[in-house]
Amino acid sequence: MTDPLSSWHRLAGGCVLLDGFHALKHAVRFGAEVPVAVTTDRRAALALAEELAPDVQDRLDTLLTEVPEETYRSLVPRPHPTAVAALAVRPSRQDNLRTLELPRSAPVVVLDQPRNLGNAGAVVRLAAGFGATGVVTTGTLDPWHPTVVRGGAGLHFATVVERLTVEELPRGPLFALDPEGEDIRGVKLPDDAVLAFGSERSGLSAWLRARTDHLLALPMRPKVSSYNLATSVAMALYHWSAGGGASAP
Ligand SMILES: C[S@@+](CC[C@H](N)C(=O)[O-])C[C@H]1O[C@@H](n2cnc3c(N)ncnc32)[C@H](O)[C@@H]1O
């Protein structure tokens, strides 16, 4: 049998850390290639699988190797309560770009120069939950940063996640969210919409604002400046999923 520690060190550079049982469960469920997975307590991890993820229980049984506590601690930035960690192969940029160019049956979320890794992770989780085609970021934040993957609970494998230049943004009707826009409740979001959100600090960039087809606002009481970025994505995706409003001209 291959030593999990040497596999880990050989693969770590080119793979994504799945931190905790739930991240591993989601990644396996959505087809991630997982070359190595470790835990300090196989029995406890498999009991969790039996209780919470019977659909992938056999796969986890095959994947998980028990390692000593100190080995596990040497592999992760901070120990997770479930004491499970794994490495997964990151989907290729070429495959992601190809998927984003295909005709879409669900929107793509664009985060325009986001800054907060926790927000980006929460948005990936939302996009996966709503069945969005993908989450695209512009700017310097890496949407596959370990903190984003941790926030996304392993759901980076359930939707396309990629950082693009503004020139590479997917085609489709562009709906940008901004408190100064038209009330979103009167507008039906099409399935091929590109839904763009501004950065936490400065909102939508001038570039996106100039190219947007529709500027939409989430309902908000006077004197409140704005919502949190991930919360705004949640409301917009919910509005799309509910199918409310009239088709945009
Ligand atoms: C924290 S807000 C940005 C606040 C920023 N200070 C500004 O000047 O816009 C992050 C993003 O969430 C979205 N957002 C927040 N509140 C919104 C609202 N009431 N309507 C539409 N979008 C909103 C926008 O896309 C915004 O750029």
Side-chain angles (χ1 to χ4, degrees):
M1 200 174 88
T2 327
D3 168 27
L5 200 57
S6 61
S7 302
W8 190 287
H9 290 307
R10 186 168 42 81
L11 294 162
C15 282
V16 177
L17 173 67
L18 299 172
D19 196 9
F21 175 83
H22 302 288
L24 174 61
K25 166 195 81 180
H26 276 142
V28 168
R29 254 189 203 149
F30 287 99
E33 187 185 332
V34 178
V36 54
V38 298
T39 176
T40 60
D41 187 343
R42 236 179 83 82
R43 220 154 61 114
L46 293 177
L48 267 183
E50 185 178 5
E51 186 191 349
L52 303 173
D55 55 320
V56 291
Q57 191 181 352
D58 290 349
R59 182 88 185 99
L60 295 182
D61 191 4
T62 312
L63 278 174
L64 280 164
T65 304
E66 190 162 293
V67 294
E69 173 87 24
E70 68 184 58
T71 304
Y72 165 72
R73 283 177 176 270
S74 74
L75 301 177
V76 294
R78 57 193 158 118
H80 190 275
T82 56
V84 168
L87 293 177
V89 177
R90 180 176 166 164
S92 85
R93 181 177 165 82
Q94 285 73 12
D95 287 351
N96 283 343
L97 287 173
R98 259 196 298 276
T99 306
L100 290 170
E101 283 311 313
L102 293 172
R104 285 194 293 280
S105 56
V108 174
V109 173
V110 173
L111 302 182
D112 188 19
Q113 302 179 45
R115 304 177 70 91
N116 183 292
L117 297 164
N119 266 341
V123 169
V124 170
R125 196 167 178 170
L126 281 164
F130 278 102
T133 297
V135 177
V136 163
T137 60
T138 66
T140 55
L141 180 145
D142 175 9
W144 284 85
H145 184 286
T147 306
V148 182
V149 175
R150 188 175 177 124
L155 288 162
H156 278 60
F157 297 90
T159 188
V160 172
V161 180
E162 197 59 71
R163 174 166 46 163
L164 300 179
T165 63
V166 285
E167 291 78 20
E168 291 172 322
L169 288 180
R171 284 187 285 264
L174 178 58
F175 293 78
L177 277 283
D178 185 272
E180 288 173 6
E182 171 189 355
D183 191 329
I184 195 171
R185 289 172 293 186
V187 178
K188 183 175 167 63
L189 296 174
D191 292 344
D192 63 347
V194 176
L195 299 177
F197 300 81
S199 86
E200 295 88 341
R201 191 171 295 173
S202 46
L204 288 169
S205 64
W207 192 94
L208 253 172
R209 207 177 270 275
R211 279 159 186 78
T212 193
D213 298 308
H214 307 276
L215 197 66
L216 300 179
L218 298 159
M220 202 167 60
R221 173 182 171 185
K223 300 183 189 170
V224 176
S225 307
S226 68
Y227 293 118
N228 158 274
L229 172 58
T231 310
S232 303
V233 175
M235 285 188 269
L237 284 176
Y238 178 78
H239 181 70
W240 163 70
S241 72
S247 296

